[in-house]
Amino acid sequence: MESLSVSQKMAQAQDFLPINGTDYVEFYVGNAKQAAYYYKAAFGFQSLAYAGPETGVKDRASYVLQQGKIRLVLTTPLKSDNPINQHIYKHGDGVKILALWVDDAYKSYEETTKRGARSYMEPQTITDEHGEVKISGIYTYGETVHMFIERKNYNGPFLPGYKEWKSSFNPSDVGLQYVDHCVGNVGWNRMNDTVKWYEDVMGFANILSFDDKQINTEYSALMSKVMSNGNGYVKFPINEPAEGKKKSQIEEYLEFYEGEGVQHVAIATNDIITTVRELKARGVEFLDTPDTYYEELFDRVGKIDEDVAPLQELKILVDRDDEGYLLQIFTKPVEDRPTLFFEIIQRKGAKSFGAGNFKALFESIEREQAKRGNL
Ligand code: FE2
């Protein structure tokens, strides 16, 4: 088993749930209007669609933003009796829905629920003047949901119920292309059950595994397994805390998210140096990396296309696997709770996740954890 490449392991996934990619990522937030401004101004997302009182939706407002193939939905409730408030009260701003673009939303629901998935939304067909969309949904870890979206007979801006959102404020994009992977943090002894759930219910394959011997620093540790669908368009690494001298960063997340949930969304770019330079100029905060990381960079990763100077200036990390290399960097949490953050990644052949950077990365996270008094 261990001698198989990542690509060979992906081929072991089952095909009862064909997925074409991530359809959208929906956040429940306390103030969607202001969050939308942040993702436009800081991350370069473009206004795409809107639903709210002005479009006939009375209980919430949702702003849809797009950049490359990535769609973010930011939703806020309008009154205290809306159940979305419970999610925000407990978890703070966070990811509620990882929506998957499928060919058949009814079959996706049937195949997953008959294998044990808990229902979130029974299949339904929604329509407007632009056509029809079929949707359904199941729960995954914590209160997080996978929606299945079938949109082959739809040509509207987003989904029925949403209207095109034209804004006079349109900051340029920063070159973000698509969702590369979305990572979930689960509780103690919950990683293997969650992995088995993705195998049994979704037909995914476990393509990479890291234990606490590989992912540890002097103080804290975690374990991680990467789940992928058959074509590799959807990848969900699952993290679990591990015992260390001090508190694991996963424990800190679980404590402040008050449960399991999405830890980070990784977004791909074709030019990480330009993208990260622009994001930093617009106020996105990234984790720092000591200059010593760059002293032996080429000894560790071999020859790469980039000069070391801009990588060191921007604190971009590099790692290599059998199939190529990757460049990556992580933001600080994008809310006051130390919970959700983003990764920016550029793949140059590598299909892995930067295991060679885990130590440098986690030491950086621990410096931030220590500042918060949570290490
Ligand atoms: Fe990642």
Side-chain angles (χ1 to χ4, degrees):
M1 276 293 273
E2 285 308 312
S3 61
L4 295 179
S5 72
V6 165
S7 306
Q8 287 167 323
K9 286 184 186 173
M10 268 179 212
Q12 295 179 327
Q14 296 177 55
D15 61 358
F16 61 80
L17 180 58
I19 297 171
N20 304 315
T22 304
D23 196 281
Y24 65 88
V25 179
E26 182 164 1
F27 299 69
Y28 282 175
V29 301
N31 188 334
K33 180 177 281 212
Q34 289 189 6
Y37 179 87
Y38 172 73
Y39 284 106
K40 287 170 70 171
F43 280 85
F45 281 88
Q46 313 292 309
S47 302
L48 179 70
Y50 170 81
E54 301 86 343
T55 69
V57 177
K58 297 295 181 205
D59 68 336
R60 64 178 75 185
S62 295
Y63 296 77
V64 188
L65 307 170
Q66 184 163 34
Q67 185 168 183
K69 294 179 180 170
I70 312 146
R71 280 191 291 250
L72 302 185
V73 183
L74 304 161
T75 293
T76 205
L78 296 178
K79 288 273 191 75
S80 62
D81 59 358
N82 189 317
I84 294 171
N85 283 302
Q86 306 304 322
H87 198 277
I88 298 169
Y89 179 75
K90 187 172 172 68
H91 304 299
D93 287 6
V95 172
K96 175 62 178 178
I97 293 170
L98 296 171
L100 305 172
W101 174 28
V102 298
D103 291 331
D104 189 332
Y106 281 68
K107 183 161 181 282
S108 299
Y109 182 88
E110 187 188 313
E111 295 289 343
T112 51
T113 52
K114 93 177 177 203
R115 288 172 170 82
R118 186 159 65 95
S119 174
Y120 172 73
M121 182 189 289
E122 288 194 3
Q124 51 182 284
T125 303
I126 50 177
T127 59
D128 67 7
E129 70 270 27
H130 302 290
E132 67 170 33
V133 176
K134 295 178 179 176
I135 61 173
S136 61
I138 59 171
Y139 281 99
T140 174
Y141 48 78
E143 293 194 276
T144 316
V145 165
H146 288 314
M147 288 292 292
F148 301 118
I149 311 292
E150 173 188 339
R151 50 170 71 255
K152 55 180 172 285
N153 296 315
Y154 192 68
N155 62 11
F158 179 55
L159 291 174
Y162 286 80
K163 297 277 187 285
E164 187 180 7
W165 173 23
K166 282 203 159 73
S167 172
S168 56
F169 177 62
N170 302 297
S172 60
D173 75 66
V174 299
L176 300 177
Q177 301 285 331
Y178 59 89
V179 174
D180 186 274
H181 59 277
C182 295
V183 180
N185 282 344
V186 300
W188 293 96
N189 303 312
R190 281 269 304 134
M191 181 178 67
N192 287 334
D193 288 348
T194 310
V195 164
K196 192 167 170 8
W197 186 91
Y198 275 103
E199 286 171 344
D200 295 349
V201 172
M202 304 278 281
F204 282 31
N206 175 208
I207 57 169
L208 285 167
S209 298
F210 308 98
D211 65 22
D212 49 341
K213 303 286 178 295
Q214 293 160 286
I215 313 183
N216 68 78
T217 64
E218 190 188 346
Y219 295 124
S220 79
L222 65 85
M223 298 182 282
S224 188
K225 290 190 176 180
V226 181
M227 306 308 295
S228 174
N229 79 320
N231 59 21
Y233 291 172
V234 177
K235 292 192 277 294
F236 297 135
I238 306 296
N239 294 332
E240 174 186 321
E243 291 289 354
K245 272 193 212 164
K246 294 194 178 179
K247 188 187 287 180
S248 168
Q249 53 163 295
I250 309 305
E251 252 183 299
E252 187 198 34
Y253 174 100
L254 295 169
E255 194 173 291
F256 281 86
Y257 196 72
E258 298 191 22
E260 302 181 345
V262 174
Q263 179 208 38
H264 73 268
V265 177
I267 299 181
T269 167
N270 293 331
D271 180 358
I272 196 167
I273 291 172
T274 302
T275 296
V276 171
R277 184 168 281 136
E278 191 62 33
L279 290 169
K280 287 191 170 180
R282 296 177 187 207
V284 176
E285 297 177 317
F286 288 91
L287 291 177
D288 198 12
T289 300
D291 287 320
T292 51
Y293 174 89
Y294 297 91
E295 284 168 10
E296 289 161 0
L297 181 65
F298 294 142
D299 296 339
R300 191 165 62 74
V301 301
K303 192 175 150 26
I304 60 173
D305 301 335
E306 294 74 14
D307 291 332
V308 72
L311 300 178
Q312 181 166 355
E313 172 209 330
L314 298 166
K315 306 296 187 181
I316 293 165
L317 306 169
V318 190
D319 195 29
R320 182 177 285 281
D321 66 20
D322 300 346
E323 299 176 85
Y325 69 98
L326 61 82
L327 305 119
Q328 64 187 167
I329 189 168
F330 298 83
T331 73
K332 291 183 181 179
V334 291
E335 55 289 300
D336 291 297
R337 296 194 197 196
T339 52
L340 177 81
F341 59 87
F342 287 88
E343 172 182 352
I344 308 298
I345 183 167
Q346 182 178 5
R347 294 188 178 277
K348 294 202 152 181
K351 294 203 173 72
S352 53
F353 295 83
N357 289 324
F358 285 166
K359 194 174 172 63
L361 168 65
F362 296 156
E363 284 172 352
S364 181
I365 291 176
E366 283 169 15
R367 285 192 292 275
E368 298 293 320
Q369 234 180 305
K371 285 185 208 164
R372 294 189 284 263
N374 295 331
L375 186 60

